[in-house]
Amino acid sequence: MTGEPDRPEDRLRRFATIWSRAVFPVTSTSLTRPELEQQLLPLARRLSDALKARTFDAAAGQAVGAALVAAHCTDPEALSRSLDCVDAYLVLYCGEDGLQEALRTRSARLQHAMAAGFAGALRERTLAEQEAISQAALNARSTVAEALHASEARFRAVFEGAAIGIGIADLEGNILQVNGALLRMFGGSEQGVRGRKVPEWTHPEDAPQVWRLYEELVRGEREHYHVEKAFYRPDGTALWTNLTVSLLRDADGRPQYQLALMEDTTERRLLNLRLRYEATHDALTGLPNRTLFFERLEKAVSGGNDQRFGLCYLDLDGFKTINDSLGHAAGDRLLVEVADRLQSCATAPGEMVARLGGDEFVALTTGPDTEREVDALADRIMNALVTPVRIDGRELTVRGSIGIVEGPAGERGPAEVLRSADITMYRAKSAGGNRFELADPEADARAITRHGLTTALPAALDRGEFFIEYQPLVHLGDGSVHGAEALVRWLHPQHGVLGPDRFIPLAEHTGLIVPLGRWVLEQSVRQACQWQERHADSGPLRINVNLSPCQLTHPGLVQDTVDILEREGLDAEALCLEVTESALIGADDDLLKPLRRLAEMGVDIALDDFGTGYSNLANLRRLPVSILKLDRSFTQGMQQFPADPVDLKIVEGIVSLAHSLDLAVTVEGVETGAQAEQLRILGCDTAQGWYYARPGPPDRLHELALVDATG
C-alpha cells in the first residue's frame, strides 16, 4: 500500500529521503546515499521545527545551509537542488493543515536563510583553504626561486588540486603558471589566460585602489593585498572574485614572483543582488519600496549647497471603497496600473517613483531647478490619473491627493521632509481631494501641534490637567445670579491654558469626549452641591453642562447622569444639559429618546447656539427642550445705539415664539449694559457674557451670588 506516511517522523524521513536523492549526485563525498540521508535527517528536523515555530528564526536556516557545506555539499548545484527540494516538499511533508499560505511564506524565508548560511560557510571554508594554500605557497617560494627543490612535488599537488584558482606571474606581469581551477573560471582556454599580462586584466568595476595596491606589491613595498575584483571572461560575461595577491621573494629577500589566489564569487554576488533587489523593491508593483526611497531621499536632502529636491506624496482618494466593494485582487490590479503610470511620469535624470505601502506613492526629483520641476511632475501625475482604469469590465475613476515639499538640500532630514509631505497631502485631501497642495510651514506646525495634543489627551485626563471655569447666568428681570455654565479648560504642560475649541474636536475624534464629558458632569454637579449648601437661603443655583454629539449617542448617557446626581445628592431640576442645535438637526426618535428620559426626570435641556443651524422652527415642538440659547450673532447689533432694527425684530419674534411654546430664552455674548437692557425689554429671561463676568473659578460665582443676596 502506498501513500504519504501517517506519522510525523515517517513524513520527516520521507522528506530527508527525497532531499538526499536530489543532492547525492552532485556531492563530493565517500558516503553512500543512505548514509548521506542519515546526515540530512537532523537538518530536515531542524527545518521542520523552524517552519512551525511561533516566531521566525533565520539562524535555523543559516545553520542548515552551513551544515550542507560541512557535509561536503559544496557544489552550487547542491545548494540549488536543496532549495528546490525545500520549496517543493517542506510544507507538504512537515506543514500543518489550514496554514499553507503562511507556511509557504515561512518556507521562502528559510530558503533565503539557507542560501545565506551556505554562502557564509563556503566563504569561510574557502578563506581557510586560501590561507592554507597561501601559507604553503609562501613556504614553497624558495622552491620557485632555487629551481627544483625537493618539496616541489608537494606544492604542485596543492597547486593543481586546489578548488580555488591559483596563478603565478613575474614582476613584469607575465603569467607563468595557472592551475586548472583558474582555467575553468576563464572558460578553460590556457592560451586565453597565459597570453595576457596582469595589467591588461582591467574592468570598469575596479575599485580605485586595486591597481595602486598592485604597483606597491610589484615594487616590493607591500607583501600582499586582498580585494574584490571583476574580470571579463572570453565570452564577455563578468567573473567576480575574491582576489588575494602575495609577493614571493628569493632566498636573499628580493621580490621575484607574484602569487594570485582567486575565489569565484559570481553566483554568490548574483544571489546577494537578487536578495538586495527583493529587500528594496515592492513585490506587487516592482517599484522601489520605502527602504530604497529613504536611502535616495536621505542622499537628496543631504546634498551640496547648490542642490535642491522636490517631493510629491500621493495618496489615492477612495481606494478603500474599491477594495471593500470589488475585492483586494481588483485593488491590487489598480495599484499596478497606477504604478505603471507614475513610472512613466518620472523618467528624467534625478527622478524616481516609489511605493511606500497601501495606496501611498512618492515621486522624487533632484537638481538645481526643482522649484519648477516638482510642479511639472505633479501636473504629469495628475494628468496620468485622469484616464479611467478598466478592471473586470468596469471603468474605475482614479483620483489622488498630492502633498508637495520643495527646498534646498542640507536644511531638513528625510523624516521631517516626509512628514511635511504627508501633512500637506492630507490638507489636499481634506480640501476635497483630486488636487495638490504646497507645503506650508505654519500649517505643518499646526498639524504637528494638533497631533501632539491628540496623543496627549488620554494621559492628560489621568494626570488631572483639566479644570473647569464657570460663567454666571444672570436673570434679566432682577439681575440676580441664576446659575452658571461649566466650561472645561486644559492646563497643558507646554502650551499653557487651552480653551475647548482647541481640544474638544480632538476628543470627539478619538472618543475621549465620553470619559472627559463624564468627568466634567461629575465635577460640575459636585460644585453645584457646594453652592447649594452655601446659598440655601437665596434659592438654588443651577449648573449648565455641555453635551457633545458623541455623548448623545453613547448608551450610558442617562445612567451616568442618574448615578452622578444620586451620588452627589443634587436634584435633577438644578441641572441643565446644553445640546447644540446642529447636533439635533434631523434627529430621529432613537437619538431623542435619552434626552426625553432626562427631561422626564426634571433635567432641563437647552438648545445651544440656536439660530445657526438652519432651524426648522416647527421642530421645536418635538424636541424635549425647555430653554433656547440664542447665538451671539443675533445680538451683536444691539451693542451700539441705536440697535439694529432688523436684529430687534428677529429676537423679538424668537422670544415670542419660545414663550408661546413655554420655552425660556437665554442670550449669550452680552457685552454692554445697553445690550442687556434691550434684551430685558424684549422679554429674554437670562443672559451671560463679559458684561456680567468672564468665566472664572467657582469662588467668583459665590462672590457674585453673595453681592446679589446682600444688594
Side-chain angles (χ1 to χ4, degrees):
M1 183 174 181
T2 61
E4 292 183 1
D6 291 327
R7 295 187 304 128
E9 187 62 27
D10 293 336
R11 296 164 67 89
L12 188 67
R13 185 170 292 279
R14 177 58 179 159
F15 172 69
T17 301
I18 295 172
W19 190 0
S20 67
R21 287 175 179 169
V23 301
F24 182 76
V26 293
T27 301
S28 301
T29 179
S30 60
L31 298 177
T32 64
R33 206 271 315 153
E35 289 172 338
L36 178 62
E37 179 182 331
Q38 289 303 312
Q39 279 196 331
L40 294 180
L41 183 59
L43 304 185
R45 183 173 289 106
R46 186 157 189 181
L47 287 175
S48 175
D49 294 341
L51 179 71
K52 294 178 287 189
R54 176 176 299 215
T55 58
F56 176 70
D57 182 11
Q62 293 170 358
V64 171
L68 286 176
V69 175
H72 303 288
C73 301
T74 57
D75 193 300
E77 182 66 17
L79 174 62
S80 177
R81 294 189 180 191
S82 294
L83 294 179
D84 290 342
C85 184
V86 171
D87 183 62
Y89 298 104
L90 179 61
V91 175
L92 178 64
Y93 284 101
C94 303
E96 297 176 357
D97 294 338
L99 300 172
Q100 296 299 305
E101 286 300 321
L103 292 178
R104 290 198 177 280
T105 301
R106 176 70 63 85
S107 174
R109 297 179 68 184
L110 281 172
Q111 294 170 51
H112 287 166
M114 283 179 62
F118 182 92
L122 185 60
R123 175 180 174 81
E124 291 177 4
R125 178 191 179 105
T126 304
L127 288 175
E129 199 173 276
Q130 282 181 344
E131 210 170 295
I133 293 171
S134 179
Q135 187 62 44
L138 290 172
N139 293 337
R141 62 185 176 181
S142 59
T143 303
V144 177
E146 298 174 4
L148 300 174
H149 191 272
S151 63
E152 183 177 355
R154 186 167 58 245
F155 173 77
R156 178 60 55 187
V158 173
F159 184 81
E160 292 295 344
I164 63 173
I166 305 176
I168 300 175
D170 60 24
L171 299 184
E172 286 72 39
N174 298 305
I175 298 175
L176 304 177
Q177 288 181 297
V178 292
N179 70 347
L182 189 142
L183 288 178
R184 287 191 294 274
M185 290 182 192
F186 284 91
S189 171
E190 184 173 355
Q191 189 61 36
V193 175
R194 298 187 61 177
R196 301 177 64 182
K197 288 192 173 185
V198 172
E200 297 176 10
W201 294 96
T202 60
H203 192 277
E205 298 287 339
D206 287 343
Q209 73 271 21
V210 168
W211 294 105
R212 176 179 57 80
L213 295 173
Y214 173 80
E215 292 296 336
E216 291 176 359
L217 182 131
V218 297
R219 289 198 302 265
E221 301 170 1
R222 175 180 292 277
E223 294 301 314
H224 59 83
Y225 65 87
H226 180 83
V227 294
E228 183 181 33
K229 176 165 170 43
F231 295 88
Y232 279 121
R233 291 190 178 100
D235 61 2
T237 59
L239 167 69
W240 281 90
T241 67
N242 278 332
L243 174 66
T244 300
V245 183
S246 300
L247 181 65
L248 302 181
R249 299 177 182 270
D250 61 16
D252 297 325
R254 291 188 297 269
Q256 192 167 16
Y257 299 100
Q258 50 179 313
L259 173 69
L261 306 178
M262 292 185 187
E263 176 198 4
D264 185 351
T265 62
T266 306
E267 291 295 328
R268 187 162 68 230
R269 180 180 176 84
L270 292 176
L271 176 61
N272 288 338
L273 288 175
R274 191 184 83 181
L275 295 176
R276 163 70 178 169
Y277 180 87
E278 291 176 354
T280 57
H281 285 74
D282 177 50
L284 176 65
T285 64
L287 292 177
N289 63 9
R290 180 182 289 269
T291 300
L292 182 55
F293 169 73
F294 256 92
E295 292 178 6
R296 289 286 301 275
L297 180 61
E298 186 169 16
K299 183 178 179 180
V301 300
S302 60
N305 293 333
D306 60 337
Q307 291 298 305
R308 301 181 69 88
F309 71 91
L311 175 65
C312 295
Y313 192 119
L314 167 69
D315 184 273
L316 300 183
D317 298 335
F319 178 73
K320 184 178 184 300
T321 303
I322 294 175
N323 261 349
D324 293 344
S325 59
L326 301 182
H328 288 277
D332 287 348
R333 290 170 62 185
L334 175 64
L335 292 175
V336 170
E337 175 63 26
V338 169
D340 290 342
R341 296 186 185 186
L342 295 181
Q343 189 74 62
S344 67
C345 295
T347 57
E351 294 182 345
M352 76 169 294
V353 172
R355 182 188 179 205
L356 297 186
D359 60 333
E360 295 180 338
F361 298 85
V362 284
L364 178 67
T365 181
T366 57
D369 191 24
T370 54
E371 291 178 278
R372 178 184 57 82
E373 291 171 356
V374 73
D375 287 341
L377 179 58
D379 280 330
R380 291 198 299 273
I381 292 174
M382 297 301 292
N383 290 332
L385 299 179
V386 168
T387 305
V389 177
R390 192 167 186 82
I391 295 178
D392 296 333
R394 295 184 176 89
E395 281 196 351
L396 303 181
T397 300
V398 184
R399 292 161 48 95
S401 301
I402 298 177
I404 298 176
V405 177
E406 193 279 333
E411 292 187 353
R412 292 176 285 182
E416 184 181 357
V417 169
L418 196 63
R419 180 177 62 181
S420 178
D422 189 24
I423 291 171
T424 307
M425 178 272 293
Y426 276 106
R427 186 152 48 86
K429 192 177 287 287
S430 62
N434 198 34
R435 57 188 292 142
F436 61 81
E437 293 280 350
L438 297 177
D440 176 7
E442 292 184 2
D444 287 0
R446 289 194 298 270
I448 293 169
T449 300
R450 190 163 55 249
H451 175 73
L453 293 178
T454 301
T455 55
L457 269 170
L461 185 57
D462 294 337
R463 289 195 296 259
E465 294 177 3
F466 292 99
F467 67 97
I468 300 174
E469 291 186 330
Y470 300 88
Q471 186 171 38
L473 287 161
V474 176
H475 196 285
L476 285 171
D478 57 11
S480 62
V481 176
H482 181 70
E485 180 180 359
L487 300 168
V488 64
R489 306 285 190 255
W490 182 3
L491 182 56
H492 193 278
Q494 284 81 41
H495 301 290
V497 177
L498 303 178
D501 58 313
R502 293 287 302 277
F503 62 86
I504 290 298
L506 304 180
E508 290 177 337
H509 179 70
T510 59
L512 190 71
I513 191 64
V514 173
L516 177 60
R518 188 185 300 116
W519 178 85
V520 171
L521 180 62
E522 187 172 24
Q523 296 297 314
S524 303
V525 167
R526 184 172 301 153
Q527 183 59 56
C529 288
Q530 295 176 10
W531 286 333
Q532 304 288 33
E533 293 173 2
R534 301 174 74 175
H535 303 282
D537 297 335
S538 59
L541 292 177
R542 301 165 56 80
I543 186 70
N544 286 31
V545 179
N546 291 283
L547 286 182
S548 78
C550 292
Q551 289 175 275
L552 286 177
T553 59
H554 189 265
L557 172 63
V558 175
Q559 190 60 50
D560 284 346
T561 306
V562 171
D563 291 345
I564 290 171
L565 290 173
E566 291 181 351
R567 184 167 59 248
E568 301 299 333
L570 184 71
D571 291 338
E573 290 78 6
L575 174 64
C576 176
L577 297 178
E578 298 188 8
V579 184
T580 60
E581 181 187 22
S582 58
L584 297 183
I585 292 177
D588 56 19
D589 287 340
D590 288 338
L591 183 62
L592 297 178
K593 187 180 298 182
L595 294 180
R596 289 197 177 105
R597 289 183 58 191
L598 291 169
E600 290 167 358
M601 291 165 41
V603 175
D604 278 330
I605 307 297
L607 195 60
D608 197 10
D609 297 335
F610 182 76
T612 62
Y614 304 101
S615 312
N616 180 354
L617 297 180
N619 265 344
L620 290 175
R621 297 179 61 86
R622 70 183 193 91
L623 298 179
V625 299
S626 54
I627 300 170
L628 293 186
K629 290 194 73 173
L630 284 185
D631 184 70
R632 67 184 61 220
S633 60
F634 285 107
T635 60
Q636 285 177 344
M638 299 181 192
Q639 295 177 10
Q640 305 177 26
F641 184 83
D644 188 323
V646 175
D647 286 345
L648 292 176
K649 287 292 185 182
I650 293 174
V651 173
E652 183 181 16
I654 292 175
V655 171
S656 175
L657 172 65
H659 287 169
S660 68
L661 296 174
D662 293 328
L663 303 178
V665 178
T666 298
V667 184
E668 298 178 296
V670 178
E671 298 183 8
T672 66
Q675 189 181 14
E677 178 61 18
Q678 187 67 64
L679 291 169
R680 184 191 66 77
I681 294 172
L682 291 173
C684 296
D685 300 288
T686 54
Q688 65 186 93
W690 288 6
Y691 172 66
Y692 303 106
R694 298 193 178 204
D699 288 344
R700 283 277 306 281
L701 190 77
H702 165 67
E703 295 169 3
L704 291 172
L706 192 61
V707 169
D708 290 336
T710 59

